[in-house]
Amino acid sequence: MPCGVVVEPGVFRLETRELPVRAPDGWVLVDIEAVGICGTDYHIFDGKHPFLEYPRVIGHELSGRVAMSAQDWTAGELVVINPYFSCGECRACRKGKPNCCSNIEVLGVHRDGGLCSRIAVPAQNLYRATGLSEIQAAMVEFLAIGAHAVRRAGPVRGERVLVTGAGPIGLGVALFARLEEAEVHLLDLSEARLAQAKEKFGFEDVHLAGSDLLSGPLSDGFDVVFDATGNVRAIEAGFPLLAHGSRYVLVSVVKEQISFEDPEFHKRETQIIGSRNATRQDFETVMKAIKDGSVDTDALCSRKIPFADFQNTFGDLASDRETLIKAVVTL
């Protein structure tokens, strides 16, 4: 079968590997239908991902159809794949937090991913995608990251929320914060991204980085700030924007150390909250929102690319993502 492999930073190609025909006990073979391409994949291509060894088959935003009936699954069923493989035994898993398992293996990061014809997946990592299209099902995972971040923040209804970074993950956070009836503001370096957030998704409170946010009605800051930039300077710049009694949710991952002024942090009694991956609850929240029309996946999907064309497209996508929200590869 063909597999999409980042061989080393800046080098992507299709390689032929053996098609799996058997799955271990408790696992299910899935024929991949669609693969969302996200910031993680671009970071892998750029050599900026902190948890990765090359070469790597990428792809973790996955939809597929059960290849062979197994467990409680019937051949042909459309599924969403949870790409976070947990051990089930560590302290985090025992506490019901498999998304931050001590021994986690993420498809397309710690182990080869799903940009290929078929993979084997633990049965517990499959969710029925009834009522969704193949493309919609491939978009659930990245939205689940945003839904999880909002849930990590605690109740946000009626609170003033700032999402820094209006890329795909930031938009997901903003959409689910709005569904929870927060007052949502977006901050980004790109006028084009902010215009897109306003025109496609109806976010009125958008701010260009460098503007004075702490003036007028916003002078006392934000109750919750979500960082979805993947930029250490942007994360550090978020601390002064926090209101007293606020929460700072770090959704993005950076390699560098993050520093802040401790007196300012303490006098605000700020909480810093890490948000990693997502859980079944978040996947189900997203699937419900897509089905009931609360989230417009057509607006989120910028490009659909046949797998055969992706090798000649990936580099261009990685170098110019200002208005690209989500590219989906179809198999």
Side-chain angles (χ1 to χ4, degrees):
M1 64 176 180
C3 297
V5 182
V6 178
V7 180
E8 59 186 41
V11 179
F12 174 85
R13 64 172 174 245
L14 298 184
E15 295 185 353
T16 301
R17 299 191 179 182
E18 187 175 353
L19 181 79
V21 294
R22 292 184 181 86
D25 289 344
W27 291 50
V28 179
L29 291 175
V30 179
D31 289 332
I32 300 300
E33 290 282 351
V35 182
I37 304 301
C38 87
T40 296
D41 302 309
Y42 300 127
H43 288 157
I44 292 169
F45 184 79
D46 292 338
K48 296 178 180 177
H49 198 286
F51 306 131
L52 186 117
E53 293 182 3
Y54 298 91
R56 180 64 69 219
V57 178
I58 60 170
H60 62 277
E61 300 180 5
L62 307 170
S63 72
R65 293 191 180 275
V66 175
M68 303 174 189
S69 297
Q71 311 294 318
D72 295 326
W73 299 93
T74 303
E77 281 191 277
L78 182 66
V79 294
V80 171
I81 297 174
N82 180 333
Y84 321 126
F85 292 6
S86 56
C87 71
E89 298 176 356
C90 71
R91 192 171 187 86
C93 286
R94 296 199 307 271
K95 291 166 63 179
K97 294 176 67 66
N99 59 300
C100 58
C101 166
S102 301
N103 306 300
I104 200 166
E105 290 187 311
V106 180
L107 283 172
V109 179
H110 305 93
R111 61 188 298 151
D112 283 340
L115 189 58
C116 58
S117 300
R118 178 182 291 176
I119 60 170
V121 180
Q124 66 187 18
N125 285 65
L126 299 181
Y127 309 139
R128 284 182 172 85
T130 308
L132 301 182
S133 69
E134 292 88 347
I135 298 291
Q136 288 175 324
M139 299 174 73
V140 170
E141 189 272 343
F142 94 87
L143 289 167
I145 291 175
H148 183 72
V150 172
R151 188 160 63 88
R152 288 282 291 149
V156 297
R157 182 176 182 179
E159 294 198 305
R160 185 188 298 155
V161 165
L162 176 67
V163 180
T164 306
I169 298 299
L171 284 173
V173 173
L175 288 167
F176 283 94
R178 184 169 65 184
L179 286 175
E180 293 296 320
E181 301 183 27
E183 175 193 322
V184 179
H185 296 250
L186 279 162
L187 176 68
D188 200 277
L189 284 166
S190 167
E191 291 184 3
R193 279 186 175 179
L194 294 175
Q196 187 168 242
K198 194 169 186 176
E199 292 162 11
K200 284 192 171 185
F201 304 100
F203 289 106
E204 294 296 331
D205 296 312
V206 297
H207 310 275
L208 193 62
S211 58
D212 183 11
L213 284 181
L214 299 180
S215 61
L218 303 179
S219 60
D220 51 356
F222 295 87
D223 302 305
V224 188
V225 175
F226 295 90
D227 178 82
T229 65
N231 182 284
V232 67
R233 298 292 169 254
I235 293 172
E236 292 174 344
F239 281 92
L241 303 177
L242 291 157
H244 285 243
S246 57
R247 288 101 72 200
Y248 199 176
V249 184
L250 302 183
V251 191
S252 60
V253 179
V254 296
K255 285 186 175 182
E256 300 95 334
Q257 290 187 344
I258 298 166
S259 63
F260 55 89
E261 295 291 335
D262 186 61
E264 292 297 320
F265 168 77
H266 263 85
K267 79 178 185 182
R268 288 169 168 79
E269 199 180 51
T270 296
Q271 297 179 57
I272 300 179
I273 301 169
S275 182
R276 188 179 186 192
N277 301 327
T279 66
R280 184 183 191 111
Q281 179 179 344
D282 306 306
F283 279 75
E284 290 175 345
T285 295
V286 171
M287 287 190 281
K288 180 180 181 298
I290 293 173
K291 289 175 189 177
D292 68 21
S294 300
V295 170
D296 183 355
T297 52
D298 287 341
L300 288 165
C301 185
S302 306
R303 291 188 64 180
K304 300 173 188 175
I305 305 167
F307 189 23
D309 297 340
F310 187 61
Q311 183 169 356
N312 297 322
T313 309
F314 189 27
D316 293 337
L317 294 176
S319 63
D320 183 13
R321 307 198 302 274
E322 187 171 38
T323 57
L324 180 75
I325 302 175
K326 181 58 55 180
V328 178
V329 178
T330 57
L331 282 84

